[in-house]
Amino acid sequence: MKKQEFLEKFIDACEIEEAIDESTVLNDLDEWDSLAAVTTLALFKKNLNLNIGAQDIKSCVTVGDLLTLGAAKYE
């Protein structure tokens, strides 16, 4: 999955209403909460067949960190 495709799925799944990019800080998003984190875990599983742990998500500060996490786990 390409970065842009992941971003689009992430925006849709977490119902984000503002423009984001890799530098967007997750905690700056009104929509980023525990439900969005769980939704992101499901996004990784469904679209990349990756089992990402909650601690992995907690370590992410930006959207770019999520992308890096997915790439690191996928390799």
Side-chain angles (χ1 to χ4, degrees):
M1 176 184 309
K2 296 184 182 195
K3 288 181 183 182
Q4 187 59 38
E5 184 180 356
F6 177 84
L7 285 174
E8 289 170 6
K9 289 182 182 288
F10 176 71
I11 290 167
D12 186 49
C14 295
E15 299 177 355
I16 297 171
E17 297 182 8
E18 57 196 88
I20 65 169
D21 60 25
E22 292 181 42
S23 65
T24 302
V25 176
L26 294 169
N27 285 331
D28 288 348
L29 296 171
D30 291 337
E31 298 86 359
W32 186 251
D33 57 13
S34 59
L35 180 58
V38 170
T39 299
T40 303
L41 292 174
L43 181 68
F44 276 114
K45 179 63 178 168
K46 180 179 178 185
N47 292 285
L48 298 174
N49 199 30
L50 294 175
N51 289 318
I52 303 292
Q55 288 295 66
D56 294 324
I57 293 291
K58 282 184 178 182
S59 71
C60 294
V61 176
T62 65
V63 173
D65 292 340
L66 290 175
L67 293 167
T68 300
L69 176 63
K73 293 283 186 177
Y74 195 68
E75 294 175 347

